[in-house]
Structure formats: C-alpha cells, structure tokens
Amino acid sequence: MSSAMRKTTTTPTARRLAAATIALGSCLALAVPAGTATAAPADPVPTVFFGDSYTANFGVAPVTNTDSERGWCFQAKENYPAVATKRLADKSVTLDVQADVSCGGALTRHFWEKQELPFGAGELSPQQDALKQDTQLTVGSMGGNTLGFNRILKQCSDELRKPSLLPGEPVDGDEPAAECGEFFETGEGKQWLDDQLEQVGWSLEELLDRIGYFAPDAKRVLVGYPRLVPEDTTKCLTAAPGQTQLPFADIPQNALPVLDQIQKRLNDVMKKAATDADGGAEFVDLYAGTGSNTACDGADRGIGGLLEESQLELLGTKVPWYAHPNEKGRDIQAERVSAKIEEVLNR
C-alpha cells in the first residue's frame, strides 16, 4: 500500500482488523506473570503529541512557529508535552518526539480532516498525518471543542458574547445569559448538549481507531481536561490575587455547578472512549485530580480566569486566558501525563 493511500484509507473493516491485531498483542503482553517488572525502554520512544489548545497550552508564552501559519495554533514552546518530555528525560526515559501537532481550536475531526486557521491564515494537514509506522506512543487531549465548550461559555456570559478572539456563538443567542443554567438542564438546550456529548464519544472512538490503524504499535494516551469550577462555588465570588475580574466574569453563580456537571460528563465520555477502545487506551483523569487548582482557587489556581490577562499579546494587547491552564496548571498537566507515560512504558 502506498504512503498516500495509507493516509487516506478510512475503511472501518481495515481499522478493526488492525485494532484486533493490537488487542492480540495486548493479550500476549498480559500473559507475563504477575509481579514481573520491566525496565524503562533503553532506546528513545518515537512519540507523537496531538490535540487542541489544552495540549498546545494556549496563553503560555512564548509561542512556537511564529514564522509560519502554525503560529496561529498558539502552541507554547513550553507546553505540557515539552515539559513532560523533560521530566521523563530526568528519569532516563527518552522520548523521540516525531511531532507535536497540537493546535488551538482543533476539533476531534481535525485529527483526520484539515483544520482551517483563523483570519484566513491558511489550513493545516490532518493531525493523523504525523503518525508513522514506527510511532510507539501517542498522547493528547481532544473533545472540548467538539463539545462546543466555547459556545457553552458564551451562552452563560454577556461579556463573552461581545466580539473577541474566542470563537463560536452562543448555543441560542435569544436566551438570556443569566438563565443559562436552566437552559442546559431542560428543553432544547439539554437536547443540544446530549447530542454534542454523543458526537464527542463517537469521534474519539474514531480518533483512537485511526491511531491504531496508522501506528499499529503505538500506545495510546488520551488526556482529560483539568477541572475549571470548584465544588464550592462561593470561592468564585472573589477575584484572584492581583485581579479585578471574577474568575468566571459575569457568569451567574447558579450556572457554575451546571458548567461543572457538563465538564464532568465530558470527562466521563472521554474516559469511556479510552476504556472501550479496541486494543486498549490509557486515560489521564485530570478532572479528578485538580479540584483544588480550579480557576477559583486564588493563588493555587491552575486555570487562568475567563478575562484574566494571559502571557500572550496581540497587536499590543494582552489576550485573556479564556479558562486555560496557566503555568502552574501546565506543570500539573505535565506531571500527571509524564507519570502515566512512565507507567505505560514500564509495563
């Protein structure tokens, strides 16, 4: 099969056969007697990172590829893949990073379709094109944009409905932002949300199948999203140290538990996709481990507030974090991801 044909084959049967091969290999690997430990790989591990703005770490400066259209991905030079790679190197686990194709704004389908960049800046090849036959590890986060989390935030905020760099429109602009909690729990808003979560599920299944097809020997690690809203939402009524805006700006407090529940549902869908993947995939449950580092945790926050100034600057103006991990949050991502990678490679 030619390289060009291999990159465009989408036959479900072919993918399932490849996945079955992986499953057989996994079963054989599990036949090793319990308690038998294996050392970290002596040779560099060919690795591909993929994903959206949470893998690219939008908001952290400086940005890579500023001399090309990929600069519009806002991928930080020190994003969590880069930091995790360094952490692993300190433990004598070497990743041979074949590519980091994470890009802000990426939908799950941009794993297999081209991604159009903002402001007519061009388009990027499907992220799956970075995979090679010898790729042994794939790591990344996707699903939030397919869910439409930006649209959900805009549904709940008059401030975010104003023109900004944050893409998307509210789910229903005719519905008041102040009533968004009820909107997503009843009627058409609930139906929209249920449909979006279903789409996230099947698209992640497709993504993991495609990794299994194009990189048959690759271990697959799907990374969840860090928790945005704390259990105690009264903490969100106080601005972080040095800030004047509340962490979630004008989103009403009674809508914050609804946003948290939506994120938990997304996390559950991602976890299920990894668990059900043919041949097996790993899941890094960041939601479960970041409850004390939400956007409302003051000096301990790992998430930059919606309208808090990030490290990025465009045309002399600081760009808001729009609820993305700050440097502390990036380091938490890197710590959890590197631990999972080490665990996977040491089996």
Side-chain angles (χ1 to χ4, degrees), residues 19 53 97 153 186 272 276 332:
S53 58
V97 181
L153 291 173
T186 59
K272 186 177 188 302
D276 293 349
I332 293 172

Short mmCIF file of all heavy atoms in Angstrom, two decimals, residues 19 53 97 153 186 272 276 332:
data_model
loop_
_atom_site.label_atom_id
_atom_site.label_comp_id
_atom_site.label_asym_id
_atom_site.label_seq_id
_atom_site.Cartn_x
_atom_site.Cartn_y
_atom_site.Cartn_z
N ALA A 19 -6.93 -3.02 14.68
CA ALA A 19 -7.16 -2.92 16.12
C ALA A 19 -7.15 -4.30 16.76
O ALA A 19 -6.67 -4.47 17.88
CB ALA A 19 -8.48 -2.21 16.38
N SER A 53 -6.16 23.29 22.13
CA SER A 53 -5.48 24.36 22.84
C SER A 53 -5.01 23.96 24.23
O SER A 53 -4.08 24.58 24.77
CB SER A 53 -6.40 25.58 22.95
OG SER A 53 -7.61 25.25 23.61
N VAL A 97 10.47 12.74 20.04
CA VAL A 97 9.23 13.41 19.62
C VAL A 97 9.25 13.60 18.11
O VAL A 97 9.95 14.48 17.59
CB VAL A 97 9.04 14.74 20.36
CG1 VAL A 97 7.74 15.41 19.91
CG2 VAL A 97 9.03 14.52 21.87
N LEU A 153 -19.81 28.52 27.21
CA LEU A 153 -19.40 29.69 27.99
C LEU A 153 -20.09 30.96 27.50
O LEU A 153 -20.54 31.78 28.30
CB LEU A 153 -17.88 29.85 27.92
CG LEU A 153 -17.03 28.79 28.63
CD1 LEU A 153 -15.56 29.00 28.33
CD2 LEU A 153 -17.28 28.80 30.14
N THR A 186 -32.82 21.74 30.61
CA THR A 186 -34.17 21.46 30.13
C THR A 186 -34.28 21.72 28.62
O THR A 186 -33.45 22.43 28.05
CB THR A 186 -35.21 22.35 30.84
OG1 THR A 186 -34.88 23.73 30.59
CG2 THR A 186 -35.20 22.11 32.35
N LYS A 272 -14.65 6.79 29.00
CA LYS A 272 -15.29 5.63 28.39
C LYS A 272 -14.70 5.32 27.02
O LYS A 272 -14.50 4.14 26.67
CB LYS A 272 -16.79 5.87 28.26
CG LYS A 272 -17.59 4.66 27.77
CD LYS A 272 -19.08 4.94 27.73
CE LYS A 272 -19.89 3.67 27.43
NZ LYS A 272 -19.51 3.05 26.15
N ASP A 276 -13.12 1.74 26.25
CA ASP A 276 -13.75 0.88 25.25
C ASP A 276 -12.93 0.72 23.97
O ASP A 276 -13.31 -0.07 23.09
CB ASP A 276 -15.13 1.44 24.87
CG ASP A 276 -16.12 1.38 26.02
OD1 ASP A 276 -15.82 0.73 27.04
OD2 ASP A 276 -17.19 2.02 25.91
N ILE A 332 1.06 20.97 36.24
CA ILE A 332 0.25 19.86 36.76
C ILE A 332 -0.06 18.88 35.64
O ILE A 332 0.03 17.66 35.80
CB ILE A 332 -1.04 20.39 37.40
CG1 ILE A 332 -0.72 21.19 38.67
CG2 ILE A 332 -1.99 19.23 37.73
CD1 ILE A 332 -1.92 21.91 39.26
#
